[in-house]
Amino acid sequence: MADIGFRAAAANLSDIAAMGGTPQYLLAALAIPHIGTRQHVLQLYRGMMAACRPHHVRLIGGDTSASCGGWFISLTLIGMVPPRKALFRNGARIGDCLYVTGTIGDSLAGLKLLNEPTRRTALSAKHRQFLIGRHLRPTARVAVGQWLNTHGFATSAIDISDGLSGDLRHICEESHVGVELDLGALPLSKACRAYAASRTLDPMNLALTGGEDYELLFTVSPHQRPRLEQSAVGRGFSLTCIGEIRPYRFGIQALSLQGKRHRLANTSYTHFT
């Protein structure tokens, strides 16, 4: 239950991070089934606060009721951003550089590991632990979002919650632009690569499809690129340039390792379908 609480809070923290805001207050609404115990509830809240406490978020209320079915958890996180300073998805401009934080595909690999019927030994314990940890206890990039906003680096931003191939589309659609995504530049962890190799999978597909990494995807003016990268190094932030914003008519295309362009299919989670 603690991991569930942590993940639920991290998803909300990540939304605030993607807008360059400061998370402040949390409200938690729970519907508890008859099999739920006091210990379950305490573990759930411990997980929530483990995610929120490093950001000084205060739990200020919510609601608790009974459930005739399973558990229902609804969190509302309130954050603050200076007037007219919030980051949105609609600010990308032609020529902007496309960046992503951290590594992607880890959470999906971790989920697949958790769902495997039996433990397979073709992956080291270290890699297994890393990937499962990335799924159960994702990191919301709050500090990076605030830094991008405070220094005016990002022209648009979103968090990767549904998957890169889908979340990238949100920026393109709302900014009315196209994009060329460099598949060879996608940041993949050693653990993700090792997992893909052990299961004969393409790690790029994990990166494109997998959601819930909660890394930030953002665009930056090319004139800001040197200052951005120098500042990131000084703060220990991990950023990778993975593409370039193009005109709308260019569409959403990927550049393969062989240097060929093709239309990028949406393989991410799609809501309401």
Side-chain angles (χ1 to χ4, degrees):
M1 294 300 291
D3 289 334
I4 293 173
F6 190 102
R7 279 172 51 79
N12 283 264
L13 288 164
S14 186
D15 285 334
I16 300 291
M19 300 188 76
T22 300
Q24 295 178 308
Y25 305 109
L26 177 71
L27 296 105
L30 304 181
I32 305 169
H34 72 277
I35 60 171
T37 66
R38 179 176 181 273
Q39 190 61 26
H40 288 146
V41 176
L42 288 174
Q43 289 175 355
L44 191 65
Y45 275 98
R46 287 191 186 108
M48 291 180 199
M49 297 316 297
C52 291
R53 199 170 290 113
H55 306 289
H56 309 290
V57 173
R58 295 172 60 190
L59 176 66
I60 61 171
D63 184 59
T64 307
S65 60
S67 167
C68 294
W71 287 85
F72 292 86
I73 304 168
S74 177
L75 303 187
T76 300
L77 190 63
I78 300 170
M80 181 274 294
V81 68
R84 297 178 295 279
K85 291 293 185 179
L87 296 175
F88 295 105
R89 305 172 183 181
N90 62 358
R93 298 293 178 261
I94 297 169
D96 279 359
C97 303
L98 179 69
Y99 279 85
V100 69
T101 61
T103 56
I104 50 179
D106 298 328
S107 180
L108 179 56
L111 177 61
K112 287 180 177 292
L113 282 168
L114 288 170
N115 285 332
E116 287 180 353
T118 57
R119 181 167 181 173
R120 298 165 66 176
T121 58
L123 190 68
S124 72
K126 180 180 179 181
H127 287 334
R128 181 183 177 86
Q129 182 179 11
F130 172 82
L131 294 172
I132 291 176
R134 286 276 283 158
H135 180 72
L136 295 179
R137 298 270 173 148
T139 301
R141 304 297 183 183
V142 175
V144 180
Q146 293 170 342
W147 166 73
L148 290 171
N149 199 6
T150 301
H151 290 79
F153 287 133
T155 55
S156 68
I158 191 173
D159 69 326
I160 300 181
S161 55
D162 296 331
L164 176 61
S165 66
D167 289 321
L168 178 55
R169 276 174 164 73
H170 295 315
I171 287 181
C172 290
E173 289 167 0
E174 298 207 21
S175 297
H176 202 69
V177 294
V179 67
E180 181 176 317
L181 180 68
D182 183 359
L183 296 180
L186 297 183
L188 302 169
S189 68
K190 291 181 179 179
C192 185
R193 290 183 186 274
Y195 170 79
S198 69
R199 271 61 172 176
T200 321
L201 298 173
D202 184 349
M204 289 184 191
N205 285 338
L206 294 174
L208 293 170
T209 303
E212 300 182 331
D213 284 308
Y214 296 113
E215 298 293 350
L216 297 184
L217 181 70
F218 59 96
T219 54
V220 175
S221 166
H223 303 295
Q224 291 271 41
R225 183 172 182 176
R227 193 165 71 93
L228 169 90
E229 295 186 353
Q230 183 178 11
S231 181
V233 170
R235 286 166 172 77
F237 295 149
S238 174
L239 313 175
T240 306
C241 182
I242 60 171
E244 182 178 336
I245 299 300
R246 297 296 185 91
Y248 181 77
R249 62 180 179 274
F250 182 87
I252 300 174
Q253 296 194 51
L255 185 67
S256 72
L257 297 176
Q258 294 74 35
K260 296 182 179 180
R261 293 193 186 95
H262 63 271
R263 177 182 171 274
L264 181 67
N266 184 1
T267 57
S268 299
Y269 178 78
T270 304
H271 297 265
F272 309 114
T273 58

